[in-house]
Structure formats: C-alpha cells, structure tokens
Amino acid sequence: MNSPIKKIVIVGGGSAGWLTAGIIAAEHKNSTQKSLNITLIESPDVKTIGVGEGTWPSMRNTLDKIGITEFEFIQQCDASFKQGSKFIAWQTGSSDEFYYHPFMTPDGYTHTNLQEHWQTSHAQRSFADTVNVQSYVCEAGLAPKQFATPPYASVTNYGYHLNAGKFAAILQKHGTQKLGINHVIAHIDEVISGPSGDIEKLSTKDGQMIDGDLFIDCSGSTGLLINKHFKIPFIKQDHVLFNNSALATQVPYTVQQDIASTTLSTAQTCGWIWDIGLPSRRGVGHTYSSAHINDDEAEKQLRSYIANTIGDEESEKLTVKKLSFTPGYREKFWHKNCVAVGMSAGFIEPLEASALAMIELSITMISEQLPQTRSQMNILAERFNKRFSYRWERVIEFLKLHYTLSQRRDSDYWCDNQLSSSIPVRLAELLELWKYQPPSRYDFTENEEIFPSASYQYILYGMSQHTQAREHQTLFENQAIAEQLFNKVQQQKQQFLQGLPTNRALINHYFQQQN
C-alpha cells in the first residue's frame, strides 16, 4: 500500500483524455523530470463526439499552464472568444425577449447590495446592463480586448468557442511532442485486477500489457473502467432535467459574417437551441426531451431556426447528427485506484457549458493533490468524491433554475418543469429565501463554487424575478455606492463600445500572427 505512484494510465482520448494528460504532465514537468510516466490509450474504433464547443474563462489558465499559446490555439482550433450566454425566449416565449449571463462579476458586488438599488431605481434597464458593461459589449458583437492586449489578458472576462475535434488534436500533438506523454492506439480487451481489487494492468487486442498505479477513465459514457469494470452506479437526474437528446449540425457562413460574442441559447417548445459562432462556421444544435417531443418535430424546429439566417433551401441541405444521453452522474468518481473524468463521471445537457469546466476542475484537483503513494489515495479519493458530488448537485440546481423561473406554459415540457416534484429540495428552499434576499455568498459554501452567487443573480433577475426590499436599510444596502457603480458602468459602456474591435476583427488579427 506504500508503493509510489509513478505510472498514470489514461483510458480514452478526446478533449477529456488529452486535457487530463496535458494538465498532469505540465503540472509535474513530465518532459524534463521523467519521474512520472503518463500513458494515454486511445481506441482506433472510437471517434470523438465533436460537441462540447464552449469553455469558461478558466480555459485560458489551463492552456497557458499546458504551454499552448493563444495564437496557435485560436488558429488550430478554429476558436473564437466567448464572453457569456445570451438567453432568448426563455421567459414568456417571445422571440424579442432576452437576457445575458456574462462572465464578469458585477462591479462592487461584494461591497453593497446592487440588486435592491437596481430594482427600486433602475428597473427600466436590465439587471446585467445596469451592474456590468459586458452585456453591452456582447450585444454589439465586440471582442474582449484590443489588438495590442497580450495573449490571455483582457479588458472583459472571456472563454472560448472551439472546434472540439481540432481541440483534441492540438492537445494530442502538444502532449506527445512537448510534454512526453506516451500515446498508445489500441483496443482494450481486458481489465486485470490484483488481489486488493485495484487495477493492475490493461490488456489490449494487439497483445500489449499496460500496467499502472493510477488509472483515469476518460472513455466517455461507456465508462470502460468505472462502469463496466467496477460497476459504480449511475445516479440518473432525468426527473429534474428532462433533456436527453440532441440534434447537432454545422452551418456555413455565406460571407465572412460577424461572430457572436456569446453562446446563443434560444428556448423552444420542448428544449432549446444552441448557436455557437466559430471563425469558419456556426455549430447549431437542438437539445430536447424525447418524452415531450419526437425527433422529427425537434429536427423541424431546428431547421426552421437555421432557415431564418440561411434560408429554407440551404437549411434542408444540412446533415443533422442525433445524440442521446442520460442526465446524471456517478455515485462515486474515484474508486480504488481509478478515477472517472468527463462523460464517464457524468453528463448534463450543454446549457451553460459546464462539461469542459468540470473536466478542468477534476484534473486540477487530481494533479495538484496527486498521491505520492497508494496509502494516500483512499483519503484523497474520499475528499474528491465528496467535493464532486457537491459540484454535480450544484450544476443540476443551477441549470434547473433556468427552467423553473420560466413563465412559458405553451407545452407540457414547460409545465412539467414547474412541478415541485422536479425541483430539488435545496433549490426550492433557496427560491423561497430569494423572495426576501438576493443570492449571496452565504448560499454557497465551497471555496471554488462551480457557479458563484453572482451567476444566480444574473439568471434570477434576467428572468424578471422580484426580491422584496428590506423595511430598514443596512450598511450593505448603500444606495450612494450602488449609484456610483451604476454610473461607472455607463461611462465604461461608451469607452468600450468605442475602443474595442469586433469579435471577427480580433480573430482575424490572431490568424495573421506568427507563433
């Protein structure tokens, strides 16, 4: 049990596998020290799904740590800048209503109650427009920085939209050529355990035996190790989040069109459509509940949405790919000497793009807390399981919030989302509390919350919810400070709208740079 951890074996490629390999190798300086052997096994029979095209701002730190420059990332991954999400037709179903969930925290958020002063004195303007400049930047289709701003730095907070297949490819190339990661292309035939129940080695179809001390399962929804071998139960969440299907396609630009600065999320009768702008194309898809709408009708709604921008004839020519999934997560993520990352750990619909962020959070903790000996592993596994059960629960609650707050009643789908039986108990309690006080840091106790309380405020007040004002003012309800902050936002608005290039212009600038 005191044997050192020297060999890490990652099962599965794609974004999850190669991010895992890259982060661990970079953290432990694998290419120079050679004290840690990292092997990634990728089956020649399994293709990358090719969805999961949105990231959070954390990806900038991840790429920088791995050693990939922003110029090569933008160029090789057909990537663009993402500054948040725009939600269209979620409140009542009207096509002209929308609100933003930007990546920037409101100015002065921790110093005063911005919500109350907005609600009492500035409610004619949206909450996001009042407390932060980023929604204006996004609505104008502007970039998060100027041409001269250094890579990974910014004026407004940003993540990326990217081509998932190309992302896995650049991670693979960098990992094998610069970080010393061993890449094995083989089909795993058998998982061989020792007397303790730990995995000892993997047998491949071509006769290789690959042994390891820690095995990381990035094999997607198959869960080759965590599911098929260890049979760790999957906790379904389809009673809370109904979406279990998606239709995805790629929409070409007719000319070099503007690139949206956010993910566009447009509500439909039984789900919603994502629209992600990349430099060369758009990634568009419809995620929906198969219990509430059939595939043909869902595809009809998707093509109708696309036809609004490229016409009926061109929309009908597009090839649509069907994906099915079960929303939920593992009862345990780390069992014995195996830990699941990515879809093998769980999957929830792509609303708010949490998939890649959960991979980053998982691997960062595994890498920074990497056990030196086997005897440490059980303690770290218990800590990991507790933290990530908490995180999956918070993701589910946050996504459910979008549906619960909707006033749409145009289908059974939206009505069923209002049923108390579909709303997690903790979320129901918070919704009651938020009638009298806004979401705050006291509602969320982890030092690294998956969604901070500011995100809940953006959704809550973007959906026109009301929080009752206090009868007496406290020091935290300082209207003078709030007014100063709101005025600052309006001043910044003019500066940013005049000084920032368009998203397309900055991306073109990045494509012209030499690495």
Side-chain angles (χ1 to χ4, degrees):
M1 290 294 285
N2 285 315
S3 56
I5 306 300
K6 290 187 175 181
K7 293 182 179 180
I8 296 177
V9 178
I10 299 161
V11 175
S15 298
W18 286 108
L19 268 175
T20 296
I23 291 172
I24 294 176
E27 179 77 35
H28 296 270
K29 299 178 181 174
N30 191 57
S31 61
T32 55
Q33 294 183 5
K34 291 295 182 184
S35 59
L36 201 62
N37 181 285
I38 301 172
T39 299
L40 186 146
I41 308 172
E42 195 168 18
S43 171
D45 305 327
V46 179
K47 296 194 184 320
T48 302
I49 294 175
V51 295
E53 297 189 326
T55 85
W56 288 2
S58 54
M59 186 58 72
R60 286 149 59 196
N61 291 330
T62 296
L63 292 170
D64 198 24
K65 175 190 278 189
I66 290 174
I68 296 173
T69 70
E70 190 167 44
F71 293 133
E72 65 179 320
F73 169 71
I74 294 287
Q75 293 168 4
Q76 294 185 36
C77 295
D78 199 26
S80 60
F81 303 104
K82 172 184 175 179
Q83 298 184 61
S85 295
K86 181 179 180 179
F87 294 95
I88 304 163
W90 279 78
Q91 191 174 338
T92 65
S94 173
S95 60
D96 61 356
E97 64 174 34
F98 65 87
Y99 72 93
Y100 278 96
H101 175 199
F103 280 146
M104 290 177 71
T105 302
D107 293 331
Y109 176 72
T110 58
H111 297 109
T112 191
N113 185 348
L114 301 175
Q115 173 274 328
E116 181 166 315
H117 188 51
W118 162 74
Q119 193 169 271
T120 55
S121 303
H122 294 272
Q124 76 281 1
R125 186 184 292 139
S126 77
F127 179 72
D129 283 353
T130 305
V131 303
N132 193 280
V133 74
Q134 194 161 32
S135 56
Y136 292 113
V137 172
C138 293
E139 188 64 12
L142 301 182
K145 54 184 168 180
Q146 297 174 311
F147 293 148
T149 307
Y152 295 129
S154 66
V155 176
T156 63
N157 202 13
Y158 71 93
Y160 304 101
H161 289 138
L162 53 83
N163 180 308
K166 291 183 177 181
F167 185 43
I170 190 177
L171 291 169
Q172 173 189 325
K173 180 180 177 182
H174 185 82
T176 53
Q177 294 183 4
K178 302 287 181 66
L179 298 174
I181 297 164
N182 306 312
H183 185 200
V184 176
I185 299 175
H187 182 81
I188 295 171
D189 240 1
E190 186 182 2
V191 180
I192 301 167
S193 293
S196 68
D198 278 5
I199 298 172
E200 282 193 350
K201 60 187 72 173
L202 304 174
S203 169
T204 67
K205 188 180 286 186
D206 58 5
Q208 297 182 68
M209 285 288 189
I210 301 169
D211 62 322
D213 304 308
L214 174 64
F215 292 81
I216 303 178
D217 189 344
C218 298
S219 63
S221 56
T222 302
L224 189 63
L225 306 182
I226 202 74
N227 175 36
K228 288 197 170 181
H229 179 69
F230 282 121
K231 301 187 179 354
I232 300 300
F234 188 81
I235 304 173
K236 293 183 180 181
Q237 294 296 311
D238 50 2
H239 62 293
V240 178
L241 296 171
F242 306 145
N243 292 347
N244 60 1
S245 302
L247 297 170
T249 190
Q250 297 178 0
V251 181
Y253 291 121
T254 52
V255 293
Q256 198 180 53
Q257 294 168 321
D258 292 339
I259 301 173
S261 300
T262 59
T263 298
L264 306 180
S265 301
T266 304
Q268 303 295 303
T269 58
C270 300
W272 58 278
I273 288 174
W274 73 78
D275 194 337
I276 287 174
L278 301 184
S280 64
R281 64 162 173 85
R282 290 155 57 204
V284 184
H286 186 184
T287 185
Y288 56 95
S289 164
S290 63
H292 293 88
I293 190 173
N294 62 45
D295 294 346
D296 290 341
E297 182 59 29
E299 184 173 336
K300 182 179 176 182
Q301 290 185 7
L302 175 63
R303 291 189 186 277
S304 175
Y305 171 90
I306 295 169
N308 288 330
T309 54
I310 65 171
D312 290 324
E313 187 176 340
E314 293 302 313
S315 174
E316 290 303 318
K317 293 179 183 177
L318 297 175
T319 300
V320 174
K321 180 167 60 175
K322 167 76 185 292
L323 304 167
S324 299
F325 57 90
T326 301
Y329 57 92
R330 294 287 162 198
E331 185 178 86
K332 287 192 295 185
F333 313 99
W334 196 326
H335 180 67
K336 294 190 178 293
N337 66 336
C338 170
V339 56
V341 172
M343 288 183 69
S344 60
F347 185 76
I348 303 293
E349 62 167 279
L351 189 69
E352 296 283 6
S354 60
L356 285 173
M358 286 290 274
I359 292 169
E360 289 179 274
L361 286 167
S362 298
I363 292 306
T364 298
M365 183 172 179
I366 293 167
S367 182
E368 292 181 3
Q369 295 272 290
L370 192 69
Q372 296 185 54
T373 65
R374 179 60 183 87
S375 59
Q376 283 180 268
M377 198 178 289
N378 291 343
I379 299 169
L380 293 171
E382 185 177 354
R383 181 187 294 178
F384 185 92
N385 288 333
K386 183 178 180 180
R387 173 160 289 199
F388 279 88
S389 290
Y390 175 91
R391 283 181 166 155
W392 279 102
E393 289 167 4
R394 298 296 81 76
V395 170
I396 290 160
E397 289 173 359
F398 185 64
L399 301 197
K400 183 65 176 181
L401 180 71
H402 297 63
Y403 297 97
T404 302
L405 297 177
S406 178
Q407 298 170 33
R408 292 186 66 146
R409 301 294 183 270
D410 52 318
S411 69
D412 288 344
Y413 175 86
W414 292 102
C415 293
D416 289 349
N417 266 296
Q418 309 304 313
L419 297 174
S420 58
S421 58
S422 78
I423 302 173
V425 173
R426 186 179 182 279
L427 178 59
E429 291 175 347
L430 287 172
L431 286 167
E432 182 63 27
L433 186 65
W434 294 336
K435 292 177 182 177
Y436 306 98
Q437 61 188 54
S440 74
R441 65 186 186 277
Y442 299 107
D443 299 321
F444 307 97
T445 57
E446 279 283 339
N447 60 347
E448 289 180 312
E449 281 292 339
I450 188 88
F451 292 102
S453 56
S455 292
Y456 285 81
Q457 288 202 10
Y458 281 128
I459 306 305
L460 199 70
Y461 303 122
M463 295 284 277
S464 300
Q465 295 300 295
H466 182 85
T467 296
Q468 186 173 308
R470 289 182 183 271
E471 292 186 9
H472 62 280
Q473 192 180 78
T474 68
L475 290 176
F476 191 59
E477 275 85 32
N478 192 313
Q479 293 186 5
I481 293 177
E483 190 63 32
Q484 289 174 7
L485 292 167
F486 294 168
N487 289 335
K488 180 183 175 185
V489 168
Q490 296 307 308
Q491 292 168 7
Q492 286 181 324
K493 171 189 171 184
Q494 300 306 319
Q495 296 169 357
F496 284 29
L497 293 184
Q498 292 172 12
L500 288 173
T502 66
N503 216 18
R504 169 69 76 181
L506 183 61
I507 290 163
N508 286 347
H509 172 74
Y510 267 55
F511 269 93
Q512 294 163 6
Q513 303 307 303
Q514 297 293 320
N515 286 304

